[in-house]
Amino acid sequence: MGYVIVNAQQKGGVGKTTDTVMEAVVASSFYNKKVLVIDTDLQGNATQFLAKTFQVLTFNQSFMSCIEDGSLEKGIVSLSDNLDLIGSDYDTRKFGDFLDNKFSSISDRTFYLSKLVNKIKDRYDYIFIDVPPSTDIKVDNAMVCADYIIVIQETQQFAFDGSKRLVLTYLQTLADDFGDKVHFQVAGILPVLLQAKRPLHQRIVKETIEYFGKDNVFNNIVNNHARLEWYAAQGIQFEDYHDKRVWGLFADIFSELELRIKSFENTGDIENFTYAHQFITGNKLTSKGKVMTVSGFDQAK
């Protein structure tokens, strides 16, 4: 049975969807993992991002229709040999009302999606759930599905404060309310560096490490915004040196994620954690990064 991963942050516009999509595509195309992306955001940004990348024009059934049917099966669309998607549409706005009308128990409302995910979980190595920047019953449903949560944090004071609220208040409340029924771990805080040379941004990264502890902050930092923004508009590419830098970054992020998961599985915690970059150091490709290739991705273009 695979792992369910959620990239989370209470503040909007921090790159959750972009990171989710990149992690999923790299895991499936470079690491040859069997991956499913479930888009639970009514904006459908992950759905649009992946549709552009893999040139998918039609979807069998929306996420919300699957929720109403009580099965995720008909919503699964194959994007490549290793990557599937359950796409979201604006009808996802009905999710909260649907849960309120269907269940009287807060526990039943909160764990409804988890029951549906568990029916298909053993088909995949990883299931990535894209969530909106909120803390309501819809997001609760995704969070309690998660095995590991990556906290996405831009180098802004509001995002740093949001990370603290997310981990110490929101996630802790879910754990307190539902006890052994929730099993998520925070894999780490993933910094998103807006401008590498600005002292404020570097200071917030430092403060994040001091607050959460070095072991709990990813060694990798997302910093290639221009190319990532272009991907969101045009679809992911793998054509030139700049593309390879992005792929190298997310190959390292996914590799680090797997090592963090391994640490949790073996020891129950992350202690004295280090990660040796394989594909990109700073913003320069390593020799291994320069020759990296992907499978199952070019064929989809």
Side-chain angles (χ1 to χ4, degrees), residues 6-7 28 34 70 73 88 91 94 102-103 118 121 144 149 154 160 184 198 225 234 243 266 268 272 292:
V6 175
N7 287 275
S28 62
K34 185 66 176 177
E73 292 281 353
S88 179
D91 60 352
K94 300 185 294 182
K102 186 174 180 65
F103 302 107
N118 284 339
K121 191 175 180 181
V144 299
I149 294 168
E154 276 188 331
F160 180 33
F184 53 68
R198 287 194 62 179
H225 278 274
Q234 303 295 326
D243 293 327
N266 291 339
N272 302 316
M292 69 185 300

Side-chain angles (χ1 to χ4, degrees), residues 207-243:
E207 289 180 358
T208 301
I209 291 172
E210 291 173 349
Y211 187 86
F212 288 103
K214 185 175 184 296
D215 291 342
N216 296 314
V217 179
F218 271 71
N219 294 170
N220 287 283
I221 296 178
V222 180
N223 57 11
N224 202 331
H225 278 274
R227 186 58 56 124
L228 288 170
E229 289 174 359
W230 189 78
Y231 284 172
Q234 303 295 326
I236 301 168
Q237 306 292 321
F238 188 78
E239 296 178 357
D240 61 22
Y241 173 82
H242 300 291
D243 293 327

Side-chain angles (χ1 to χ4, degrees), residues 177-295:
D177 286 350
F178 299 110
D180 292 342
K181 292 189 71 174
V182 297
H183 52 268
F184 53 68
Q185 297 279 3
V186 176
I189 314 295
L190 179 60
V192 178
L193 196 61
L194 295 179
Q195 296 181 28
K197 295 182 179 180
R198 287 194 62 179
L200 172 62
H201 298 160
Q202 293 171 331
R203 177 177 62 79
I204 291 176
V205 171
K206 181 181 177 181
E207 289 180 358
T208 301
I209 291 172
E210 291 173 349
Y211 187 86
F212 288 103
K214 185 175 184 296
D215 291 342
N216 296 314
V217 179
F218 271 71
N219 294 170
N220 287 283
I221 296 178
V222 180
N223 57 11
N224 202 331
H225 278 274
R227 186 58 56 124
L228 288 170
E229 289 174 359
W230 189 78
Y231 284 172
Q234 303 295 326
I236 301 168
Q237 306 292 321
F238 188 78
E239 296 178 357
D240 61 22
Y241 173 82
H242 300 291
D243 293 327
K244 278 194 173 183
R245 287 197 304 169
V246 176
W247 280 78
L249 169 63
F250 280 94
D252 270 329
I253 288 172
F254 183 76
S255 177
E256 181 174 353
L257 172 62
E258 289 208 302
L259 288 175
R260 287 176 173 273
I261 290 173
K262 183 177 180 180
S263 179
F264 273 113
E265 299 291 310
N266 291 339
T267 70
D269 203 350
I270 297 178
E271 292 184 357
N272 302 316
F273 182 86
T274 59
Y275 178 75
H277 293 254
Q278 300 180 54
F279 303 98
I280 192 166
T281 301
N283 208 24
K284 294 183 179 180
L285 289 168
T286 64
S287 57
K288 189 175 180 179
K290 290 177 182 177
V291 298
M292 69 185 300
T293 59
V294 297
S295 61

Side-chain angles (χ1 to χ4, degrees), residues 8-105:
Q9 176 56 263
Q10 291 180 310
K11 181 180 180 296
V14 299
K16 294 188 307 298
T17 296
T18 300
D19 291 343
T20 296
V21 169
M22 288 301 305
E23 289 160 17
V25 172
V26 166
S28 62
S29 299
F30 185 68
Y31 286 99
N32 203 34
K33 305 292 185 181
K34 185 66 176 177
V35 176
L36 170 67
V37 176
I38 303 176
D39 189 353
T40 69
D41 189 345
L42 64 85
Q43 300 294 331
N45 290 332
T47 302
Q48 297 169 38
F49 197 159
L50 286 166
K52 291 172 185 174
T53 298
F54 291 92
Q55 300 181 355
V56 176
L57 301 179
T58 59
F59 291 88
N60 303 331
Q61 189 167 307
S62 71
F63 168 74
M64 188 61 220
S65 294
C66 292
I67 290 295
E68 291 172 328
D69 285 353
S71 172
L72 299 176
E73 292 281 353
K74 292 182 180 179
I76 298 173
V77 174
S78 177
L79 303 179
S80 69
D81 289 344
N82 284 330
L83 182 60
D84 294 344
L85 168 68
I86 298 176
S88 179
D89 206 341
Y90 195 64
D91 60 352
T92 303
R93 70 191 185 280
K94 300 185 294 182
F95 192 11
D97 290 340
F98 169 83
L99 293 170
D100 286 341
N101 293 331
K102 186 174 180 65
F103 302 107
S104 59
S105 161

Side-chain angles (χ1 to χ4, degrees), residues 163-178:
S163 296
K164 290 186 280 187
R165 289 193 301 272
L166 178 67
V167 175
L168 301 179
T169 302
Y170 174 59
L171 295 180
Q172 187 59 54
T173 298
L174 285 176
D176 291 342
D177 286 350
F178 299 110

Side-chain angles (χ1 to χ4, degrees), residues 128-145:
F128 290 88
I129 303 181
D130 191 47
V131 298
S134 60
T135 52
D136 55 17
I137 189 64
K138 300 186 292 295
V139 178
D140 291 353
N141 263 257
M143 290 299 188
V144 299
C145 290

